[in-house]
Amino acid sequence: MNKYIKSLVAFALGACVLSCQKKDNTPVDLSKVTVAFISPTQGQTYHQGDTININTNVAYIGEIAGIGLQIIDSATDSTLFEADQDTHTDHFNFSSSWVDDYPTATTLQVKILVFVSNNTAVPAERSVYIKTQP
Amino acid sequence: MAVLFNTFIQNTKHMKFLILITAFIAGLGYNARACELCGCSASSQYLGILPEFYKQFIGVQYQYTSFTAKQPSLMDPSDNESAYEFNSTYQVWGRYYIGNKVQLFGFLPYHMNTGADGGTAIKTNGIGDASVLGNIVVFRRDADTAVWKQTLLAGGGVKLPTGKYTGVTTLDEQGLPNVQAGTGSWDFIVNANYTIRYQKVGLNADASYTMTTANKVDYKYGNRLNTGLLAFYWWQKNNVSLLPQAGVRYEYTLHDYDNYEHKWLNESSGGNIVFATAGVQAYIKRYGAKVMYSIPVSQHYANGDVTVQPRLETSLFFLF
């Protein structure tokens, strides 16, 4: 019976060792975040009632925890639309859409926020600016 | 454990009644809420108190588990999205003795999972991951003269990736890998089961540890420890044996890895839970049934964002 008890103890010790979980400790470097805007493009003009399709390819050297989108009136700094998506990958095709119902001619900031693991409090931000007209 | 039930009941005419009772209990509903964060599936596979008056058995288990979850929005951490997940598992399982010292167990589950995130429910049904376990009877003290009757079983096994796993889906990206029927990974299990009885009162302690491996998309579920301590009383009258039992279960699950190769540790997964559990086993001749109900009394899953709800488990056995 002793050998079985020894085996159990050996296993318990082995399990403790296996329970140590290594973690990717690559330093966070938000400058390594890339966001390729497929649409909209910089300076593109939309009219009230148009659907603005936001389509981006996002990549990072480590894990991306989530991606957010904000459409902001640059003149007033008010947020007109928000969306977000959780991810567990190092590259992601993020897409969303918004029907432009804004009645004022202005410049809109289409901002992509990229939350990387190990530092979700401060996202990387990449933007394009488009125009909207009534 | 063999000696626990060395005299057994006659008359099996109540089998249909038992089936109806179990089916009814299996069908009972209670508030089902969910788990939207990764790796909160502390899926529990344990042996507990096993009948030993016949060597072999085959049975069907039903287990109902559910979770609720809140997930802080990345954009606004004060804004929690709620989600739920509930899982029904029907499992065929059995035991086969090789000689007097070696037991083989087989498990084949069928999962019916539902998860919802943001109001859209996603259902996944299918055969899950099959498991095979081998146990050795380390010692057995069950002579009629023994005041304290004891049995210790120990062994191990493997969980096979037989369940459907579709890789990283949109749901996975949203943190819902658990709604899939399979894990896609080979996992290795070791377990031990000890029973001691004095006259009609006994204790059963069991522990199992599951060492997971990464699946084909490098997702690795957390290793799991599952332990339990049950006190039972062996009551017998006429043709019926009943084993009312109560105790505690403790489960500990390590964090998942979103990508094991890159060591992307998912710290929104894993945790621990203590259940208070109570139930009863009933035997009539070669037939048996079991009902267990477990209530979480303490838990910390996914940084506290996941809440495990009460768990129901029912079983039917045929011994041969």
Side-chain angles (χ1 to χ4, degrees):
Chain A
M1 185 175 106
N2 278 343
K3 69 177 180 181
Y4 292 111
I5 292 174
K6 284 177 184 172
S7 300
L8 282 174
V9 171
F11 168 75
L13 292 173
C16 288
V17 171
L18 288 171
S19 299
C20 296
Q21 294 195 280
K22 292 181 182 172
K23 180 182 176 184
D24 173 26
N25 285 318
T26 305
V28 173
D29 185 353
L30 297 183
S31 69
K32 298 286 176 62
V33 171
T34 62
V35 179
F37 282 87
I38 299 165
S39 70
T41 55
Q42 181 76 20
Q44 198 169 346
T45 300
Y46 290 86
H47 296 89
Q48 189 176 9
D50 287 350
T51 297
I52 300 176
N53 292 306
I54 298 94
N55 189 3
T56 61
N57 284 324
V58 178
Y60 180 57
I61 56 169
E63 183 177 18
I64 302 169
I67 299 168
L69 162 69
Q70 289 179 326
I71 297 178
I72 300 164
D73 180 345
S74 296
T76 63
D77 206 29
S78 56
T79 301
L80 309 179
F81 178 70
E82 269 189 350
D84 63 78
Q85 165 82 64
D86 293 331
T87 65
H88 296 291
T89 181
D90 57 0
H91 61 280
F92 193 77
N93 174 247
F94 176 80
S95 59
S96 185
S97 63
W98 176 61
V99 177
D100 180 357
D101 57 359
Y102 206 51
T104 310
T106 188
T107 297
L108 299 178
Q109 179 185 11
V110 179
K111 183 196 286 184
I112 295 292
L113 301 98
V114 182
F115 299 85
V116 303
S117 292
N118 302 333
N119 183 20
T120 54
V122 181
E125 298 180 5
R126 305 287 186 272
S127 298
V128 294
Y129 292 84
I130 61 176
K131 295 182 188 308
T132 180
Q133 294 176 350
Chain B
M1 189 63 200
V3 135
L4 284 176
F5 320 103
N6 47 6
T7 54
F8 225 44
I9 317 157
Q10 287 117 55
N11 283 339
T12 68
K13 291 180 182 174
H14 297 90
M15 193 55 203
K16 286 182 182 174
F17 175 73
L18 281 175
I19 291 172
L20 284 173
I21 289 288
T22 302
F24 170 74
I25 292 168
L28 284 177
Y30 46 88
N31 289 335
R33 291 289 166 152
C35 157
E36 191 246 15
L37 301 175
C38 310
C40 39
S41 69
S43 64
S44 55
Q45 182 74 73
Y46 64 93
L47 298 177
I49 299 170
L50 297 172
E52 289 283 351
F53 31 88
Y54 290 96
K55 284 188 169 180
Q56 274 69 250
F57 72 77
I58 188 166
V60 181
Q61 276 183 327
Y62 171 80
Q63 190 182 66
Y64 184 89
T65 58
S66 62
F67 311 89
T68 56
K70 58 182 174 64
Q71 185 173 30
S73 166
L74 286 167
M75 303 280 279
D76 179 5
S78 65
D79 179 23
N80 289 322
E81 297 170 5
S82 63
Y84 68 87
E85 180 180 319
F86 53 91
N87 317 112
S88 291
T89 299
Y90 294 87
Q91 179 165 258
V92 177
W93 70 309
R95 180 184 65 198
Y96 185 80
Y97 258 93
I98 300 174
N100 289 320
K101 285 273 188 178
V102 178
Q103 306 175 337
L104 292 180
F105 290 88
F107 305 85
L108 182 62
Y110 183 89
H111 296 294
M112 300 171 72
N113 301 333
T114 302
D117 176 16
T120 306
I122 297 105
K123 295 187 177 181
T124 308
N125 301 339
I127 290 173
D129 292 340
S131 305
V132 181
L133 278 179
N135 274 347
I136 295 170
V137 180
V138 179
F139 68 82
R140 179 178 279 158
R141 309 277 184 268
D142 59 359
D144 289 343
T145 53
V147 177
W148 294 91
K149 301 180 192 303
Q150 305 174 64
T151 306
L152 175 63
L153 310 172
V158 61
K159 184 189 72 59
L160 314 163
T162 52
K164 188 176 180 184
Y165 182 79
T166 56
V168 178
T169 63
T170 302
L171 290 175
D172 293 318
E173 302 293 358
Q174 294 172 347
L176 276 167
N178 298 313
V179 295
Q180 301 201 39
T183 63
S185 66
W186 292 79
D187 299 342
F188 300 93
I189 305 159
V190 291
N191 74 287
N193 189 307
Y194 174 72
T195 305
I196 183 167
R197 181 171 66 87
Y198 175 76
Q199 295 182 353
K200 291 183 177 295
V201 178
L203 277 177
N204 171 264
D206 73 87
S208 70
Y209 190 78
T210 303
M211 290 164 286
T212 62
T213 64
N215 61 27
K216 62 185 177 185
V217 296
D218 259 328
Y219 194 95
K220 183 181 180 297
Y221 290 88
N223 292 358
R224 290 188 300 278
L225 172 69
N226 192 328
T227 64
L229 183 66
L230 278 176
F232 62 88
Y233 181 81
W234 179 26
W235 180 87
Q236 186 176 6
K237 188 169 186 181
N238 298 328
N239 296 323
V240 179
S241 281
L242 291 176
L243 280 93
Q245 51 200 266
V248 292
R249 294 209 66 79
Y250 174 73
E251 298 175 6
Y252 184 87
T253 308
L254 293 178
H255 297 308
D256 296 352
Y257 280 96
D258 292 333
N259 186 304
Y260 190 59
E261 183 185 355
H262 295 307
K263 297 292 181 284
W264 292 350
L265 191 64
N266 185 336
E267 291 175 292
S268 294
S269 63
N272 62 83
I273 186 165
V274 178
F275 284 102
T277 186
V280 63
Q281 287 184 31
Y283 291 92
I284 300 174
K285 268 195 169 179
R286 291 176 178 264
Y287 302 96
K290 175 183 172 183
V291 178
M292 297 294 290
Y293 190 71
S294 303
I295 298 170
V297 291
S298 169
Q299 60 178 300
H300 184 78
Y301 266 105
N303 299 324
D305 292 334
V306 168
T307 304
V308 179
Q309 301 296 322
R311 178 183 295 173
L312 174 71
E313 183 187 322
T314 64
S315 302
L316 288 174
F317 306 98
F318 175 70
L319 308 140
F320 57 101

